[in-house]
Amino acid sequence: MKYSRLTKEQFEELHKEFINFLATQSVTAEEWANLKENKPDLAEMELDVFSDLIWEGALNEAKYLEHISAKHMYLFQLNEDKMHAIVINIKNDVDITTPEGYKWLRENLMDESVEFLQADKDYGDDKNLDKFKMIEQGAVITKGELYTYFDKLIN
């Protein structure tokens, strides 16, 4: 397995897609029930293959990632050959994960306690695996509104 298995909730959400996945392999509902009952290892393998397919598709489509913590905002644009990062560091006691802290940041972008950094980072041998590792560390796929806003602000 290249990524991680989808959660039970994710499988439930993707129920129709999973049925189609099984159908492409000529596995009927009866055969699937039989697999789960009599060959659980093979059923587990099918779940893993499906999970990897879903992750691969999502990671191929991802254009932006965000990871926001109390004192840092990491915004990534996922380009074809490398990723571009905008990092905002907060050097005071404001927690930007709270509504009040985020409001403070919006109103005090030019405060000396707000630091902006930018960098480009090349992908390793497998760019989707690089993206996935960032997600495992807490990043989320977004539409890039924050990245675009701060990119316009500082560039």
Side-chain angles (χ1 to χ4, degrees):
M1 174 168 231
K2 185 174 179 181
Y3 303 111
S4 67
R5 179 167 306 167
L6 299 173
T7 65
K8 182 179 184 219
E9 292 79 16
Q10 290 167 324
F11 271 111
E12 287 170 2
E13 193 71 28
L14 296 167
H15 180 74
K16 288 180 183 173
E17 290 82 354
F18 186 64
I19 290 170
N20 290 337
F21 166 76
L22 291 174
T24 63
Q25 298 184 54
S26 302
V27 177
T28 65
E30 286 176 10
E31 291 169 327
W32 177 244
N34 184 36
L35 262 182
K36 289 192 303 187
E37 180 73 28
N38 299 314
K39 296 181 181 175
D41 290 348
L42 194 54
E44 296 284 320
M45 200 167 76
E46 291 293 337
L47 295 172
D48 290 347
V49 169
F50 179 73
S51 293
D52 277 350
L53 283 171
I54 294 298
W55 273 114
E56 196 71 29
L59 295 167
N60 280 336
E61 294 298 314
K63 302 295 180 225
Y64 298 93
L65 291 176
E66 293 176 5
H67 189 190
I68 301 172
S69 63
K71 301 284 178 211
H72 309 284
M73 187 180 293
Y74 299 93
L75 310 171
F76 300 94
Q77 182 180 41
L78 307 171
N79 300 312
E80 195 58 38
D81 55 339
K82 60 187 165 194
M83 61 180 87
H84 183 259
I86 296 173
V87 181
I88 298 117
N89 292 318
I90 309 302
K91 298 178 176 183
N92 60 23
D93 60 352
V94 172
D95 178 350
I96 61 173
T97 62
T98 66
E100 302 81 24
Y102 187 71
K103 181 177 186 242
W104 179 90
L105 175 62
R106 284 195 330 248
E107 294 171 354
N108 295 280
L109 288 172
M110 297 306 147
D111 191 277
E112 63 185 30
S113 60
V114 179
E115 175 184 57
F116 292 95
L117 305 167
Q118 294 188 80
D120 285 325
K121 181 180 185 312
D122 291 328
Y123 295 112
D125 293 336
D126 185 336
K127 78 173 153 183
N128 280 350
L129 196 53
D130 291 347
K131 296 174 194 178
F132 181 75
K133 286 177 181 175
M134 293 170 65
I135 291 169
E136 281 189 312
Q137 295 169 357
V140 294
I141 297 171
T142 69
K143 294 180 181 171
E145 289 99 346
L146 277 176
Y147 176 92
T148 304
Y149 173 78
F150 284 106
D151 186 48
K152 287 178 182 171
L153 181 74
I154 60 180
N155 293 314

